[in-house]
Structure formats: structure tokens, C-alpha cells
Amino acid sequence: MTVGTDDELEALREIGAIVARTLRLMAVSLEPGMTTRELDAIGAAELACHGARPAPALAYGFPGATCISVAPAIAHGVPGERRLRPGDLVNIDVSAEKGGFFADTGASYALPPVRPADRALIAAAHAATTAGVMAVRAGAPLRAIGAAVEAEARRRRVGLVRNLASHGTGRALHEDPEAIPTWHEPRERRRIGSGMVFTIEPFVSTGARHAEEAGDGWTLALPAPHRAAQVEHTVVATANGAIVLTLPR
């Protein structure tokens, strides 16, 4: 989507704030012993409270309101009867629609006692996403985002998963521009258009470069013993940089 009016931007800000609030509520609700289905129900209730519809179920028939992935799973995890345990590394992905507008956000969290390696991985994910956001500017090459992310990942000595990319959003959960690399890809020739709406969502890892299907048709996981963390925001590109939509109001 390309934002053309102030009303469109305000609608995107609204759904962006809703998914951000939902993610934050789910994060503070994390505790050992709860099931991922119970955590998902918290997210579903919060979205419904604000008149938003879960995007994965709406767009793809996903069997849950949110994606909850417990390491070694890193993405598209299906909520179920798995109980969270101390030390688990959990990725929560919240995307939703309201009034025909979509936003997408997510982050990884570790339950105490937190492994030092997981703490470093989560910090690297935040830093990598921030680097990607700072590279956004209308007219700049899309590859500048991946180059900035990879530079930060190298600085922190973590790897990047290279078969999970960012994507356009706004009027649909996934739309053009598709498959935006969050790693340095010199063959990428597209440019960032003014008003373009898309996600920035690098997965930093302990070294693995590819996620694999886990066998349920949805969940993606890393081969043992690797782990990954992610932070995701939806942004709008402007001449002055990125407007981050997925921040709580």
C-alpha cells in the first residue's frame, strides 16, 4: 500500500497502535505453566475489544488469533496445549485488520531464568530492527534496509535467517513489495516509494541461516541447537524517514 491521504495514515496508526497494545499485553502476561492457547486467548480478547480482526485467520485460515512460537520454533507457531516453561524463548506475532487496514508487529521474549545468550540475542534483534528502520527513506534503495540490518548483526556477532523476509502491508496482510530482504542483498534493485507501507522484521540467530517447516503446515523452526529472536514493526516511508506505526499510544 502507498499512503495517499491523512485519513489513511490515521487509520493505519489506529490499527498499528492496537496490535502494539495487544503484543505488550501478551508479553506482560507470559508466565510458566500457561499454555500458548491461553496466551493467544488474551491477544484475541484484546483485539476484539478494539474492534480488530486477527489477520492470519482472516487472510489464511490460521488456527489462532496470533502466532506464538517457542524455541526452536521461530515463526508461525500455532497456539495449543504446550505449556510454557522457565527459560523458554517465545516469539509472539500480532497482526490484525480494522476498517480495511492492516498492521503487523512482533517480538521475542525470554521467561526467567533468562539464558545470557538469549538476552544477547533479543538485544541484537532490537538493535537490528532499529538499524533497518533508520535506513528507511523515500527514494532510497530497498537493499539499504538489509545492508543496515546485516551490519548491525555482524557487529553483534549474530547470524540472520535468510528465508524469512519483510513485506508490504496496509490494505492486506501481505502485499507489494513482497520479499524485502532483511540481509544484504546486492541484487535487490527496487526503491522505497514515498508513502510505502511495509514491515521490518529481521530474525537474528545463533548461526542458522534457514528455518525449516516443523511438520504442522504452519510452524517454522531452526535446526537444533540454534535459536533466533525477532522484533517487527510496520512503517510508512517518508522523505524524512520512517513513521513507525506499531507503537502503543
Side-chain angles (χ1 to χ4, degrees):
M1 175 185 176
T2 298
V3 175
T5 68
D6 289 342
D7 286 346
E8 288 178 338
L9 180 58
E10 181 55 31
L12 287 166
R13 286 187 187 275
E14 181 182 8
I15 187 59
I18 290 169
V19 296
R21 179 187 176 95
T22 301
L23 175 64
R24 183 172 63 180
L25 177 60
M26 293 176 71
V28 300
S29 300
L30 280 168
E31 61 179 31
M34 75 186 312
T35 67
T36 55
R37 191 185 307 280
E38 290 169 339
L39 182 61
D40 182 63
I42 293 170
E46 182 67 13
L47 292 175
C49 180
H50 295 281
R53 298 189 292 173
L58 183 65
Y60 302 112
F62 181 77
T66 66
C67 300
I68 303 171
S69 308
V70 183
I74 64 170
H76 307 162
V78 178
E81 300 311 310
R82 176 168 184 164
R83 293 193 179 276
L84 299 178
R85 300 177 299 181
D88 273 344
L89 179 60
V90 184
N91 180 274
I92 303 173
D93 190 298
V94 182
S95 55
E97 174 272 344
K98 183 175 182 179
F101 294 89
F102 290 74
D104 193 357
T105 192
S108 295
Y109 306 92
L111 276 68
V114 180
R115 304 179 189 184
D118 285 348
R119 183 178 292 109
L121 203 58
I122 291 169
H126 280 276
T129 297
T130 297
V133 170
M134 295 297 291
V136 173
R137 193 170 303 278
L142 267 174
R143 65 177 178 272
I145 297 170
V149 168
E150 184 161 329
E152 183 63 25
R154 286 184 174 179
R155 190 176 77 81
R156 290 178 178 262
R157 300 188 179 185
V158 295
L160 289 166
V161 177
R162 295 174 186 257
N163 62 334
L164 287 169
S166 299
H167 57 88
T169 190
R171 282 293 192 176
L173 178 56
H174 295 97
E175 59 181 60
D176 289 335
E178 297 179 350
I180 302 170
T182 48
W183 55 89
H184 179 50
E185 177 49 81
R187 294 170 295 181
E188 172 61 72
R189 291 290 182 262
R190 294 172 294 179
R191 304 194 79 82
I192 302 171
S194 180
M196 184 182 288
V197 186
F198 56 95
T199 69
I200 296 178
E201 48 176 314
F203 287 82
V204 302
S205 78
T206 53
R209 293 165 62 96
H210 294 91
E212 303 170 348
E213 291 188 11
D216 62 4
W218 297 103
T219 306
L220 296 174
L222 294 184
H226 292 291
R227 292 160 83 87
Q230 176 225 30
V231 173
E232 176 182 12
H233 282 299
T234 299
V235 303
V236 178
T238 78
N240 296 317
I243 298 172
V244 180
L245 299 173
T246 42
L247 296 174
R249 288 185 172 178

